[in-house]
Amino acid sequence: MNHAHSGAPQHPHHEGHHAPHDHTPVPVPAPAGTIYTCPMHPEIRQDHPGNCPKCGMTLEPEMPTLDEGEDPELRDFKRRFLWTLPLTLAVAVLAMAGHRLQWFEMATQSWIELVLSLPIVLWAGWPFFRRAVQSVANRSPNMWTLIGLGTAAAFVYSVVATVAPRVFPESFMSMGRVAVYFEAAAVIISLTLLGQILELKARSQTSAAIKSLLGLAPKTARRIGANGTEEDVPIAHVHVGDKLRVRPGEKVPVDGVVVEGASAVDESMLTGEPLPVTKRAGDKLIGATLNTSGALVMQSEKVGSQTVLASIVQMVAQAQRSRAPMQRMADHVAGYFVMAVIGIAVLTFFAWGFFGPAPSWTHGLINAVAVLIIACPCALGLATPMSIMVATGKAATQGVLFRDAAAIENFRKVDALIVDKTGTLTEGKPGFERAVALPGFSEDEVLRLAASLDQGSEHPLAHAIVRAARERGLALAAADEFESASGIGVNGSAGGRRLALGNTALMDQLGVPVDALRPQAEALRAEGASVMFLAVDGQPAGLLAVSDPVKATTAEALAALKASGMRVIMATGDGLTTARAVAARLGIDEVHGEVKPADKLALVEKLQREGRIVAMAGDGINDAPALAKADVGVAMGTGTDVAMNSAQVTLVKGDLRGIAQARIVSEKTIANMKQNLGFAFVYNALGVPLAAGVLFPFTGWLLSPMIAALAMSLSSASVITNALRLRAEGTGGRPG
């Protein structure tokens, strides 16, 4: 079980202080607003450090930081373990060899073992007993309930046997004294401490991905003042609109746009794209990426928590804290499991006491303690959270961001993929091709009016029209009463005229006849262009054609997805002819054109009614309802914030190959979780009967509580190690 307390630094043990007494770590002030949560029960959230009321784990901050230093709990456990290890070894040697060596009378030896065990049990084991009491008080039995019961039973029994041996019947006597088991309590505590130390060290590696992302952020930026002077300022002092210089070999400080210069920028640390991307004036820059060659001047657009890097870190942290549906079963089982184990331990004690060989009650006590210790549901509780933490961190370094664990678990089941066209299959950076004017209007006038209206739109097609009008030097009028008919076009007023710009669906909705323009529109669509009709004062005025090149990686991505058996469907607001032209080029057989946001949502619901597990990939505001409704929504990282907030998976680079990558992550993670759960169940299924002595009549085998404690610690370590294997082997690499 993990007890990492990574973000609430505590006063370290003073180097010159060597007395082995309890020195409870005291939290130092954490950053304002820090929320602490349990890695195994993310629904537990509070604004101060403490222990989880459900499992007893130490709560840790939702967001790790780089300047944490050594985990205070790890430091505390190390101190308790190292100080008491010599005492544990001494007790164990006395218990195993004292009667042979006959250094002391056996009654005297019991007192010596008691004195040596007191600091181990009462000081080193104090955190465990405290958590055991909390588990009972909170009515949430967990692993600490079992450890506390087991060690307390062995220790209290041994203390009574030493202090008042006459209260026991003769059958408890062995070698001139009532048998004591101080060594069982001492060794169990030392081994549990050792297990926690190993586990905490391994757990720290699961957050390595977030820490590496945090480490990407540059500490300073070179700001250019209004008078042209330059100075290096802390990154926290950069504001939106500042001009910054990025020299060769430096990291881009924040998100922004290039205003001067050209260079190749390495974005692999955030997007997984292996090759540097050429950036020129007007191109977007992502903070924390590396400028490799030329000098750039940029204008900052997003700073602080608004940057892509900050969003990635937040999304990874959120995903790591979420619970997979598979984990609900493990949690449900674990809740009943602890009570069942206590019942088995009680049954073991009485069964051995009444029916076992002499000394029967002593055997009963020891076997009952062994059952309590070996059955700790630690491995069961860690089985899925560890896999999720490692997988989400690894995927993030390859440009695939999962919002939660459910998305990872569901992605491997997806058998139908709906894709938007603009910005998903295509670059999302369309260029204006031409305008067609009806009598009474010129081509420039059609472009000018359309651009005047489109100034209020954020759609990539609108940007292409506005940019073309400005390049031609056309004087744009201010748009009034601007209204977006989501997914089908826009309307409003400009220059005293009522304007509408959109697809056939919008024209039909407004009752504008466009039959005269249909032949030209179909011809342009057949070439893959997107066509928008312009209506002026309720009458058709012309059309505008904008083309958006297909992404270079789209064909390869779709081929890989279809080869995996996935049904690919295009649904776009563009005209059906345009959609079919693009689909034919990409080998997509099922196409839906001129669809509204409600139509995309209905398509998702229709496929779900057919029993399909549906993924929806899109990048625009009009995709948000379908993204939210799909079993797995996939947003392009190059798209709108609304789309990304509605989706369960974000592809940072906007590359559809990331969907194939996400499937690989999903498949490997679920396989890893099943391995962990299988190991935990098998471990307990074999360990509990062995500890209870079921095999004793046939083989003479009994399981010492000390061996049970070692096995319990190793089971947790093995689950974490298996989860870390996901990081070591990767998640399959970026397809292609």
Side-chain angles (χ1 to χ4, degrees), residues 213 268-273 312 315-316 319 390-403 407-408 411 632-635 637 648-666 731 733-735:
L213 287 169
S268 61
M269 61 285 295
L270 292 182
T271 67
E273 179 63 43
I312 290 174
M315 190 174 287
V316 173
V390 176
T392 49
K394 181 67 178 180
T397 64
Q398 298 177 337
V400 179
L401 303 180
F402 290 95
R403 180 177 297 279
I408 294 181
F411 212 111
V632 180
V634 182
Q648 290 84 45
V649 180
T650 298
L651 307 180
V652 177
K653 186 63 176 176
D655 184 344
L656 274 180
R657 289 181 297 177
I659 294 181
Q661 177 69 16
R663 278 178 72 92
I664 296 172
V665 173
S666 175
T731 47
R734 178 169 291 281

Short mmCIF file of all heavy atoms in Angstrom, two decimals, residues 213 268-273 312 315-316 319 390-403 407-408 411 632-635 637 648-666 731 733-735:
data_model
loop_
_atom_site.label_atom_id
_atom_site.label_comp_id
_atom_site.label_asym_id
_atom_site.label_seq_id
_atom_site.Cartn_x
_atom_site.Cartn_y
_atom_site.Cartn_z
N LEU A 213 7.49 16.62 -16.69
CA LEU A 213 6.76 17.68 -17.39
C LEU A 213 6.95 19.02 -16.70
O LEU A 213 7.16 20.05 -17.34
CB LEU A 213 5.27 17.33 -17.46
CG LEU A 213 4.87 16.21 -18.43
CD1 LEU A 213 3.43 15.80 -18.21
CD2 LEU A 213 5.09 16.63 -19.87
N SER A 268 8.87 17.70 -29.41
CA SER A 268 8.70 16.28 -29.07
C SER A 268 8.39 16.05 -27.60
O SER A 268 7.71 15.10 -27.24
CB SER A 268 9.96 15.50 -29.46
OG SER A 268 11.09 15.98 -28.76
N MET A 269 8.89 16.92 -26.72
CA MET A 269 8.68 16.72 -25.29
C MET A 269 7.21 16.85 -24.90
O MET A 269 6.80 16.31 -23.88
CB MET A 269 9.53 17.69 -24.47
CG MET A 269 9.25 19.17 -24.70
SD MET A 269 9.89 19.81 -26.27
CE MET A 269 11.64 19.62 -26.02
N LEU A 270 6.42 17.54 -25.72
CA LEU A 270 5.00 17.71 -25.39
C LEU A 270 4.07 16.99 -26.36
O LEU A 270 2.99 16.56 -25.97
CB LEU A 270 4.64 19.20 -25.38
CG LEU A 270 5.23 20.04 -24.26
CD1 LEU A 270 4.73 21.47 -24.36
CD2 LEU A 270 4.89 19.46 -22.90
N THR A 271 4.47 16.88 -27.62
CA THR A 271 3.56 16.33 -28.62
C THR A 271 3.93 14.93 -29.07
O THR A 271 3.12 14.25 -29.70
CB THR A 271 3.54 17.24 -29.87
OG1 THR A 271 4.82 17.18 -30.50
CG2 THR A 271 3.21 18.67 -29.50
N GLY A 272 5.15 14.51 -28.79
CA GLY A 272 5.59 13.20 -29.27
C GLY A 272 6.05 13.25 -30.71
O GLY A 272 6.50 12.24 -31.26
N GLU A 273 5.95 14.42 -31.37
CA GLU A 273 6.37 14.56 -32.76
C GLU A 273 7.89 14.53 -32.83
O GLU A 273 8.56 15.39 -32.25
CB GLU A 273 5.85 15.88 -33.33
CG GLU A 273 6.26 16.14 -34.77
CD GLU A 273 5.69 15.11 -35.73
OE1 GLU A 273 4.50 14.76 -35.60
OE2 GLU A 273 6.44 14.64 -36.60
N ILE A 312 -1.59 20.19 -19.66
CA ILE A 312 -1.17 18.79 -19.74
C ILE A 312 -0.90 18.24 -18.35
O ILE A 312 -1.35 17.16 -17.99
CB ILE A 312 0.07 18.65 -20.64
CG1 ILE A 312 -0.31 18.90 -22.11
CG2 ILE A 312 0.70 17.26 -20.49
CD1 ILE A 312 0.88 18.92 -23.05
N MET A 315 -4.13 17.74 -16.51
CA MET A 315 -4.92 16.62 -17.00
C MET A 315 -4.31 15.29 -16.59
O MET A 315 -5.02 14.34 -16.23
CB MET A 315 -5.05 16.70 -18.53
CG MET A 315 -6.05 15.70 -19.11
SD MET A 315 -6.34 15.90 -20.87
CE MET A 315 -7.31 17.39 -20.89
N VAL A 316 -2.98 15.20 -16.64
CA VAL A 316 -2.31 13.96 -16.23
C VAL A 316 -2.55 13.70 -14.74
O VAL A 316 -2.87 12.58 -14.33
CB VAL A 316 -0.80 14.01 -16.53
CG1 VAL A 316 -0.09 12.80 -15.94
CG2 VAL A 316 -0.56 14.06 -18.03
N ALA A 319 -6.08 12.51 -14.26
CA ALA A 319 -6.25 11.12 -14.71
C ALA A 319 -5.65 10.15 -13.71
O ALA A 319 -6.21 9.08 -13.44
CB ALA A 319 -5.62 10.94 -16.09
N VAL A 390 1.18 5.07 -13.91
CA VAL A 390 2.33 4.89 -14.81
C VAL A 390 1.91 5.11 -16.26
O VAL A 390 2.59 5.79 -17.03
CB VAL A 390 2.96 3.50 -14.63
CG1 VAL A 390 4.08 3.28 -15.63
CG2 VAL A 390 3.50 3.34 -13.21
N ALA A 391 0.78 4.54 -16.65
CA ALA A 391 0.34 4.61 -18.05
C ALA A 391 -0.01 6.02 -18.48
O ALA A 391 0.37 6.46 -19.57
CB ALA A 391 -0.86 3.69 -18.26
N THR A 392 -0.72 6.77 -17.63
CA THR A 392 -1.10 8.14 -18.01
C THR A 392 0.13 9.03 -18.14
O THR A 392 0.21 9.86 -19.05
CB THR A 392 -2.06 8.75 -16.97
OG1 THR A 392 -1.53 8.57 -15.66
CG2 THR A 392 -3.42 8.11 -17.05
N GLY A 393 1.09 8.84 -17.26
CA GLY A 393 2.32 9.62 -17.35
C GLY A 393 3.10 9.30 -18.61
O GLY A 393 3.59 10.19 -19.30
N LYS A 394 3.21 8.01 -18.93
CA LYS A 394 3.94 7.60 -20.13
C LYS A 394 3.25 8.10 -21.39
O LYS A 394 3.89 8.61 -22.31
CB LYS A 394 4.05 6.06 -20.15
CG LYS A 394 4.80 5.51 -21.34
CD LYS A 394 6.27 5.88 -21.29
CE LYS A 394 7.03 5.30 -22.46
NZ LYS A 394 8.46 5.65 -22.42
N ALA A 395 1.92 7.97 -21.45
CA ALA A 395 1.18 8.41 -22.63
C ALA A 395 1.32 9.92 -22.84
O ALA A 395 1.41 10.39 -23.98
CB ALA A 395 -0.30 8.03 -22.48
N ALA A 396 1.36 10.67 -21.74
CA ALA A 396 1.47 12.13 -21.85
C ALA A 396 2.76 12.54 -22.54
O ALA A 396 2.80 13.52 -23.29
CB ALA A 396 1.39 12.77 -20.46
N THR A 397 3.84 11.80 -22.29
CA THR A 397 5.11 12.14 -22.94
C THR A 397 5.08 11.83 -24.43
O THR A 397 5.97 12.25 -25.16
CB THR A 397 6.27 11.36 -22.29
OG1 THR A 397 6.07 9.95 -22.51
CG2 THR A 397 6.34 11.63 -20.81
N GLN A 398 4.05 11.09 -24.88
CA GLN A 398 3.91 10.77 -26.30
C GLN A 398 2.75 11.53 -26.95
O GLN A 398 2.32 11.20 -28.04
CB GLN A 398 3.70 9.26 -26.46
CG GLN A 398 4.90 8.46 -25.95
CD GLN A 398 4.69 6.96 -26.03
OE1 GLN A 398 3.56 6.49 -26.06
NE2 GLN A 398 5.77 6.22 -26.06
N GLY A 399 2.25 12.56 -26.24
CA GLY A 399 1.25 13.42 -26.84
C GLY A 399 -0.17 12.94 -26.72
O GLY A 399 -1.06 13.46 -27.39
N VAL A 400 -0.43 11.94 -25.86
CA VAL A 400 -1.80 11.43 -25.67
C VAL A 400 -2.19 11.68 -24.22
O VAL A 400 -1.55 11.16 -23.30
CB VAL A 400 -1.89 9.91 -25.97
CG1 VAL A 400 -3.31 9.41 -25.74
CG2 VAL A 400 -1.45 9.63 -27.40
N LEU A 401 -3.24 12.49 -24.01
CA LEU A 401 -3.66 12.84 -22.67
C LEU A 401 -5.01 12.19 -22.36
O LEU A 401 -6.00 12.42 -23.06
CB LEU A 401 -3.80 14.36 -22.52
CG LEU A 401 -2.56 15.20 -22.83
CD1 LEU A 401 -2.87 16.67 -22.63
CD2 LEU A 401 -1.40 14.77 -21.96
N PHE A 402 -5.06 11.38 -21.31
CA PHE A 402 -6.31 10.78 -20.85
C PHE A 402 -6.86 11.62 -19.71
O PHE A 402 -6.13 11.97 -18.78
CB PHE A 402 -6.07 9.35 -20.36
CG PHE A 402 -5.75 8.37 -21.45
CD1 PHE A 402 -4.44 8.06 -21.76
CD2 PHE A 402 -6.76 7.76 -22.18
CE1 PHE A 402 -4.14 7.15 -22.77
CE2 PHE A 402 -6.47 6.85 -23.18
CZ PHE A 402 -5.16 6.55 -23.48
N ARG A 403 -8.16 11.92 -19.78
CA ARG A 403 -8.78 12.71 -18.71
C ARG A 403 -8.97 11.89 -17.45
O ARG A 403 -8.85 12.38 -16.35
CB ARG A 403 -10.12 13.28 -19.17
CG ARG A 403 -10.84 14.11 -18.12
CD ARG A 403 -12.12 14.72 -18.66
NE ARG A 403 -11.85 15.63 -19.75
CZ ARG A 403 -11.44 16.90 -19.57
NH1 ARG A 403 -11.27 17.36 -18.35
NH2 ARG A 403 -11.22 17.68 -20.59
N ALA A 407 -11.47 6.35 -19.30
CA ALA A 407 -11.14 6.49 -20.72
C ALA A 407 -10.10 5.45 -21.14
O ALA A 407 -10.18 4.88 -22.23
CB ALA A 407 -10.62 7.90 -21.00
N ILE A 408 -9.12 5.20 -20.27
CA ILE A 408 -8.11 4.19 -20.58
C ILE A 408 -8.77 2.82 -20.68
O ILE A 408 -8.49 2.03 -21.60
CB ILE A 408 -7.01 4.17 -19.50
CG1 ILE A 408 -6.23 5.48 -19.53
CG2 ILE A 408 -6.08 2.99 -19.71
CD1 ILE A 408 -5.11 5.54 -18.52
N PHE A 411 -11.13 2.61 -23.98
CA PHE A 411 -10.62 2.86 -25.33
C PHE A 411 -10.37 1.56 -26.09
O PHE A 411 -10.60 1.48 -27.30
CB PHE A 411 -9.33 3.70 -25.28
CG PHE A 411 -9.19 4.61 -26.46
CD1 PHE A 411 -9.30 5.97 -26.31
CD2 PHE A 411 -8.97 4.11 -27.73
CE1 PHE A 411 -9.19 6.82 -27.40
CE2 PHE A 411 -8.86 4.94 -28.83
CZ PHE A 411 -8.98 6.31 -28.66
N VAL A 632 -16.02 7.42 -25.75
CA VAL A 632 -14.72 8.07 -25.60
C VAL A 632 -14.67 9.24 -26.57
O VAL A 632 -14.74 9.04 -27.79
CB VAL A 632 -13.54 7.11 -25.89
CG1 VAL A 632 -12.22 7.85 -25.70
CG2 VAL A 632 -13.59 5.89 -24.99
N GLY A 633 -14.57 10.46 -26.03
CA GLY A 633 -14.41 11.64 -26.88
C GLY A 633 -12.94 11.94 -27.06
O GLY A 633 -12.17 11.92 -26.10
N VAL A 634 -12.52 12.19 -28.30
CA VAL A 634 -11.11 12.46 -28.61
C VAL A 634 -11.02 13.86 -29.21
O VAL A 634 -11.57 14.12 -30.29
CB VAL A 634 -10.54 11.43 -29.61
CG1 VAL A 634 -9.07 11.71 -29.87
CG2 VAL A 634 -10.74 10.01 -29.08
N ALA A 635 -10.35 14.76 -28.52
CA ALA A 635 -10.20 16.14 -29.00
C ALA A 635 -8.82 16.35 -29.58
O ALA A 635 -7.83 15.81 -29.08
CB ALA A 635 -10.46 17.13 -27.85
N GLY A 637 -5.67 18.53 -29.93
CA GLY A 637 -5.04 19.56 -29.10
C GLY A 637 -4.89 20.88 -29.82
O GLY A 637 -4.63 21.91 -29.20
N GLN A 648 -12.64 12.98 -23.41
CA GLN A 648 -11.93 12.18 -22.41
C GLN A 648 -10.47 11.98 -22.77
O GLN A 648 -9.65 11.63 -21.94
CB GLN A 648 -12.60 10.81 -22.25
CG GLN A 648 -13.96 10.84 -21.59
CD GLN A 648 -15.06 11.15 -22.58
OE1 GLN A 648 -15.10 10.60 -23.68
NE2 GLN A 648 -15.96 12.03 -22.21
N VAL A 649 -10.15 12.17 -24.06
CA VAL A 649 -8.77 12.02 -24.54
C VAL A 649 -8.43 13.22 -25.40
O VAL A 649 -9.26 13.66 -26.20
CB VAL A 649 -8.60 10.72 -25.37
CG1 VAL A 649 -7.16 10.57 -25.86
CG2 VAL A 649 -9.01 9.50 -24.57
N THR A 650 -7.24 13.76 -25.22
CA THR A 650 -6.77 14.86 -26.07
C THR A 650 -5.48 14.45 -26.75
O THR A 650 -4.56 13.94 -26.10
CB THR A 650 -6.53 16.15 -25.24
OG1 THR A 650 -7.76 16.56 -24.65
CG2 THR A 650 -6.01 17.27 -26.12
N LEU A 651 -5.43 14.65 -28.06
CA LEU A 651 -4.20 14.40 -28.82
C LEU A 651 -3.51 15.75 -28.97
O LEU A 651 -3.96 16.61 -29.72
CB LEU A 651 -4.53 13.80 -30.19
CG LEU A 651 -5.43 12.54 -30.16
CD1 LEU A 651 -5.67 12.04 -31.58
CD2 LEU A 651 -4.81 11.46 -29.30
N VAL A 652 -2.41 15.92 -28.24
CA VAL A 652 -1.77 17.24 -28.15
C VAL A 652 -1.42 17.80 -29.52
O VAL A 652 -1.64 18.96 -29.82
CB VAL A 652 -0.50 17.16 -27.26
CG1 VAL A 652 0.21 18.50 -27.23
CG2 VAL A 652 -0.87 16.73 -25.86
N LYS A 653 -0.91 16.92 -30.40
CA LYS A 653 -0.46 17.37 -31.71
C LYS A 653 -1.62 17.44 -32.70
O LYS A 653 -1.49 18.01 -33.78
CB LYS A 653 0.62 16.40 -32.23
CG LYS A 653 1.28 16.83 -33.53
CD LYS A 653 2.04 18.13 -33.36
CE LYS A 653 2.78 18.50 -34.65
NZ LYS A 653 3.43 19.81 -34.56
N GLY A 654 -2.78 16.87 -32.34
CA GLY A 654 -3.88 16.85 -33.28
C GLY A 654 -3.66 15.84 -34.38
O GLY A 654 -4.20 15.97 -35.48
N ASP A 655 -2.85 14.82 -34.11
CA ASP A 655 -2.49 13.79 -35.09
C ASP A 655 -3.33 12.55 -34.81
O ASP A 655 -3.28 11.98 -33.72
CB ASP A 655 -1.00 13.48 -34.94
CG ASP A 655 -0.49 12.50 -35.98
OD1 ASP A 655 -1.32 11.83 -36.62
OD2 ASP A 655 0.73 12.39 -36.14
N LEU A 656 -4.12 12.11 -35.81
CA LEU A 656 -5.00 10.97 -35.61
C LEU A 656 -4.25 9.68 -35.31
O LEU A 656 -4.83 8.72 -34.81
CB LEU A 656 -5.89 10.75 -36.85
CG LEU A 656 -7.19 11.55 -36.90
CD1 LEU A 656 -7.95 11.23 -38.17
CD2 LEU A 656 -8.06 11.27 -35.69
N ARG A 657 -2.96 9.63 -35.61
CA ARG A 657 -2.20 8.44 -35.24
C ARG A 657 -2.20 8.25 -33.73
O ARG A 657 -1.98 7.14 -33.23
CB ARG A 657 -0.75 8.55 -35.74
CG ARG A 657 -0.61 8.43 -37.25
CD ARG A 657 0.83 8.53 -37.68
NE ARG A 657 1.41 9.83 -37.36
CZ ARG A 657 2.68 10.16 -37.59
NH1 ARG A 657 3.50 9.27 -38.14
NH2 ARG A 657 3.13 11.35 -37.28
N GLY A 658 -2.49 9.33 -33.01
CA GLY A 658 -2.58 9.23 -31.56
C GLY A 658 -3.72 8.34 -31.10
O GLY A 658 -3.69 7.79 -29.99
N ILE A 659 -4.76 8.16 -31.94
CA ILE A 659 -5.86 7.27 -31.57
C ILE A 659 -5.37 5.83 -31.53
O ILE A 659 -5.68 5.07 -30.61
CB ILE A 659 -7.04 7.43 -32.55
CG1 ILE A 659 -7.65 8.83 -32.40
CG2 ILE A 659 -8.10 6.36 -32.31
CD1 ILE A 659 -8.84 9.09 -33.29
N ALA A 660 -4.57 5.45 -32.55
CA ALA A 660 -3.98 4.10 -32.54
C ALA A 660 -3.05 3.96 -31.34
O ALA A 660 -3.00 2.90 -30.69
CB ALA A 660 -3.23 3.85 -33.84
N GLN A 661 -2.34 5.04 -31.03
CA GLN A 661 -1.45 5.03 -29.88
C GLN A 661 -2.25 4.85 -28.58
O GLN A 661 -1.86 4.08 -27.69
CB GLN A 661 -0.67 6.35 -29.83
CG GLN A 661 0.25 6.49 -28.63
CD GLN A 661 1.42 5.52 -28.72
OE1 GLN A 661 1.69 4.97 -29.77
NE2 GLN A 661 2.08 5.30 -27.61
N ALA A 662 -3.38 5.55 -28.49
CA ALA A 662 -4.21 5.45 -27.29
C ALA A 662 -4.76 4.03 -27.12
O ALA A 662 -4.90 3.55 -25.99
CB ALA A 662 -5.37 6.45 -27.38
N ARG A 663 -5.08 3.36 -28.22
CA ARG A 663 -5.54 1.98 -28.12
C ARG A 663 -4.45 1.07 -27.55
O ARG A 663 -4.72 0.19 -26.73
CB ARG A 663 -5.97 1.47 -29.50
CG ARG A 663 -7.37 1.88 -29.89
CD ARG A 663 -7.71 1.38 -31.27
NE ARG A 663 -7.93 -0.06 -31.31
CZ ARG A 663 -9.11 -0.63 -31.16
NH1 ARG A 663 -10.19 0.11 -30.95
NH2 ARG A 663 -9.25 -1.93 -31.22
N ILE A 664 -3.22 1.30 -28.00
CA ILE A 664 -2.11 0.49 -27.48
C ILE A 664 -1.94 0.72 -25.99
O ILE A 664 -1.77 -0.22 -25.20
CB ILE A 664 -0.80 0.84 -28.24
CG1 ILE A 664 -0.92 0.45 -29.71
CG2 ILE A 664 0.40 0.14 -27.59
CD1 ILE A 664 0.24 0.93 -30.56
N VAL A 665 -2.01 2.00 -25.58
CA VAL A 665 -1.91 2.33 -24.15
C VAL A 665 -3.02 1.62 -23.38
O VAL A 665 -2.78 1.01 -22.33
CB VAL A 665 -2.01 3.86 -23.93
CG1 VAL A 665 -2.10 4.18 -22.45
CG2 VAL A 665 -0.81 4.56 -24.55
N SER A 666 -4.24 1.70 -23.90
CA SER A 666 -5.39 1.09 -23.24
C SER A 666 -5.20 -0.41 -23.09
O SER A 666 -5.39 -0.97 -22.00
CB SER A 666 -6.66 1.40 -24.03
OG SER A 666 -7.78 0.74 -23.47
N THR A 731 4.77 2.25 -24.36
CA THR A 731 3.40 1.89 -24.70
C THR A 731 3.26 1.62 -26.19
O THR A 731 2.24 1.82 -26.79
CB THR A 731 2.45 3.03 -24.28
OG1 THR A 731 2.98 4.28 -24.73
CG2 THR A 731 2.27 3.08 -22.80
N GLY A 733 5.15 2.90 -28.68
CA GLY A 733 5.73 3.83 -29.63
C GLY A 733 4.68 4.46 -30.52
O GLY A 733 3.60 3.95 -30.72
N ARG A 734 4.99 5.59 -31.08
CA ARG A 734 4.03 6.28 -31.97
C ARG A 734 3.95 5.53 -33.27
O ARG A 734 4.94 5.31 -33.94
CB ARG A 734 4.50 7.72 -32.20
CG ARG A 734 3.58 8.47 -33.14
CD ARG A 734 3.91 9.93 -33.14
NE ARG A 734 3.57 10.56 -31.88
CZ ARG A 734 2.35 10.92 -31.53
NH1 ARG A 734 1.34 10.70 -32.33
NH2 ARG A 734 2.13 11.49 -30.37
N PRO A 735 2.75 5.10 -33.65
CA PRO A 735 2.60 4.39 -34.89
C PRO A 735 3.14 5.19 -36.05
O PRO A 735 2.96 6.38 -36.16
CB PRO A 735 1.06 4.21 -35.01
CG PRO A 735 0.56 4.31 -33.63
CD PRO A 735 1.46 5.26 -32.94
#
